Amino acid sequence: METLQTSQQTVHAPVSGGVSAVTVIPVTTKKQLAQFIDFPHDLYKDDKNYVPELFIAQRDLLSPSKHPFYEHSSLQAFLAFKGNKIVGRIAAIDNKNHNAFNKKNDGFFGFFESINDIEVSQALFQTATTWLKERKLSTMIGPVNFSTNETCGLLIEGFDGPPVVMMPYNPPYYSKLIEQAGLTENVSLLAYKIIPQYMNDRPYRIMEVLQERLARRNITFRKVNLKKFDEEVKKIQAIYNSAWDKNLGFVPMTDKEFEYLAKDLKMILDPEFCIIAEENGKAIGFALAIPDLNQILIKIKRGRLLPTGIFKLLLGKKKINAVRVLTLGVLEPYRKLGIDGCLYGELMKTGRAKNVAYGEGSWILETNELMNAAMLGINADSYRKYRIYEKEI
């Protein structure tokens, strides 16, 4: 049987009276892993905005034999109990590629979920801190599930609806639990809601003029070619690993990691929403918007595709009426030429043709003045805020 352990510690949090003592154990078996994945379903059972993660996807993400992250780094998942009842979970993460690339000594926590109980959250953070310190890491940053290439951030504003695809969701009380554990703000992230009828469509209106000017430099735009998917993935990976190298906490994705992500995205990808900019056939920028799969996942009980979830997924895809602008980037030598405006324009053009009700642009660093100005310039609404915390350990 595959195990997940890298630590065998068991933590008993000191609680007055001893009757309700919190016990934290490492996840080491398939049964415990299933309990780790399923805990949020029970925690959020009365929350109409909760979207369950697909069980099979979470299982693979947390299994060393399934995900390429574990070829260079490590993660230890933990479960918190009061008596025989699971009351919380957390994962401690040692991302060696992040530290090598950024010349840092950071540790991370992710997959945090807890009942509204400071004793539980303190025990979980204490356990994660101990695991990170054992590996001689000097900070704890999170919530980050592996790195900023994956789901990250804690929702702190905008609890009025379900999250869009690949964005986090949590109860409002989590920020208090995290701050009571001594963590403070590292950075905040913004999500923008874009409603076509209220948009300033200037990028769309000037797109043709920009494209004609760029064509004189042999810069053109096209949709992704799914028949040459593997070749397209390599082109996009080269842009991704270069265009975002100065972003907060960025770490280049390995070939296997990017291929893993691309394989997942291909299942929901609409090629009309994946635009590549090229100069003489060389990819120099791209934009990707993906359908908001959460509109279907919210209806799939406990994230199980069987017996009926698979049909909801297959039949519901055509009814999705929203997209998330997941990423848009241009290689540094080609910035300030209007390429990004054309990429936005192409996404707008496609969205209008497909009668998309709304889109979300996320996430954008709160300190990224250029991107925030661009969002506000098209009358997008900054409607959700997320936060990443940190603490010296």
Side-chain angles (χ1 to χ4, degrees), residues 291-357:
D292 181 18
L293 196 66
N294 280 7
Q295 292 185 3
I296 304 170
L297 296 183
I298 199 170
K299 302 173 185 177
I300 298 180
K301 189 175 181 180
R302 301 182 75 80
R304 267 41 175 208
L305 288 177
L306 297 175
T308 60
I310 186 68
F311 298 107
K312 292 179 181 177
L313 187 63
L314 294 174
L315 297 174
K317 285 176 67 176
K318 293 181 180 179
K319 299 178 182 178
I320 294 173
N321 69 347
V323 298
R324 177 187 171 198
V325 182
L326 181 65
T327 184
L328 185 152
V330 179
L331 294 179
E332 191 166 6
Y334 299 93
R335 293 170 191 169
K336 299 183 180 179
L337 297 177
I339 294 172
D340 55 345
C342 290
L343 291 169
Y344 275 122
E346 288 287 355
L347 293 179
M348 289 182 191
K349 181 180 176 181
T350 301
R352 288 182 170 187
K354 290 180 174 287
N355 294 316
V356 168

Side-chain angles (χ1 to χ4, degrees), residues 47 49-50 154-164 167-172 175 189-193 360 381-387:
D47 189 334
N49 293 326
Y50 170 66
L154 186 85
L155 180 64
I156 61 169
E157 293 179 16
F159 296 91
D160 55 345
V164 302
M167 288 296 286
Y169 178 77
N170 52 266
S175 59
L189 318 168
L190 300 177
Y192 287 86
K193 191 167 189 175
E360 178 175 295
D381 175 27
S382 174
Y383 80 128
R384 284 180 184 156
K385 180 184 284 190
Y386 304 82
R387 182 159 293 159

Side-chain angles (χ1 to χ4, degrees), residues 47-292:
D47 189 334
K48 67 181 187 303
N49 293 326
Y50 170 66
V51 180
E53 298 277 6
L54 284 178
F55 179 86
I56 189 171
Q58 289 288 285
R59 182 199 64 195
D60 289 356
L61 191 66
L62 291 161
S63 298
S65 66
K66 300 285 188 180
H67 198 285
F69 169 81
Y70 301 96
E71 294 182 3
H72 56 78
S73 298
S74 57
L75 173 151
Q76 178 60 54
F78 296 94
L79 283 169
F81 288 83
K82 276 192 172 184
N84 293 323
K85 185 177 181 181
I86 297 173
V87 290
R89 73 177 199 181
I90 201 167
I93 303 162
D94 180 6
N95 189 330
K96 290 182 168 58
N97 276 10
H98 163 89
N99 285 329
F101 182 79
N102 291 287
K103 297 180 173 57
K104 299 277 191 177
N105 194 38
D106 297 330
F108 297 90
F109 77 89
F111 302 93
F112 172 72
E113 303 283 0
S114 174
I115 63 171
N116 192 4
D117 186 328
I118 189 172
E119 292 167 349
V120 174
S121 57
Q122 293 280 23
L124 287 166
F125 284 112
Q126 175 191 337
T127 304
T129 298
T130 299
W131 189 90
L132 295 173
K133 288 174 73 173
E134 286 173 355
R135 282 143 191 86
K136 305 190 184 308
L137 300 167
S138 57
T139 57
M140 178 166 66
I141 299 173
V144 174
N145 297 349
F146 293 173
S147 75
T148 54
N149 292 321
E150 286 83 24
T151 305
C152 63
L154 186 85
L155 180 64
I156 61 169
E157 293 179 16
F159 296 91
D160 55 345
V164 302
V165 63
M166 297 173 67
M167 288 296 286
Y169 178 77
N170 52 266
Y173 66 80
Y174 274 19
S175 59
K176 183 177 179 180
L177 295 181
I178 290 174
E179 289 163 11
Q180 286 175 324
L183 287 98
T184 57
E185 179 181 359
N186 173 292
V187 71
S188 291
L189 318 168
L190 300 177
Y192 287 86
K193 191 167 189 175
I194 308 162
I195 301 175
Q197 67 188 88
Y198 301 127
M199 282 181 64
N200 176 349
D201 61 357
R202 184 173 181 272
Y204 178 73
R205 287 186 282 108
I206 67 172
M207 181 175 61
E208 286 189 15
V209 175
L210 284 173
Q211 287 183 339
E212 287 175 7
R213 188 171 69 193
L214 290 168
R216 291 195 287 270
R217 293 187 50 160
N218 295 317
I219 294 174
T220 56
F221 299 83
R222 65 173 177 83
K223 297 174 177 62
V224 69
N225 184 351
L226 293 183
K227 293 181 179 179
K228 297 182 178 180
F229 186 72
D230 292 344
E231 292 178 29
E232 301 282 60
V233 166
K234 291 186 184 302
K235 291 177 181 178
I236 291 173
Q237 180 186 358
I239 300 169
Y240 183 85
N241 282 346
S242 177
W244 281 268
D245 66 346
K246 295 180 177 63
N247 274 11
L248 166 87
F250 176 78
V251 55
M253 299 181 79
T254 66
D255 290 349
K256 289 184 179 180
E257 285 174 323
F258 202 85
E259 288 164 6
Y260 186 99
L261 175 62
K263 183 180 177 182
D264 277 355
L265 289 177
K266 185 180 181 182
M267 291 188 288
I268 62 171
L269 180 67
D270 180 343
E272 301 284 318
F273 278 111
C274 186
I275 313 298
I276 298 175
E278 295 181 324
E279 180 186 51
N280 294 316
K282 173 194 171 186
I284 58 173
F286 79 100
L288 172 64
I290 57 176
D292 181 18

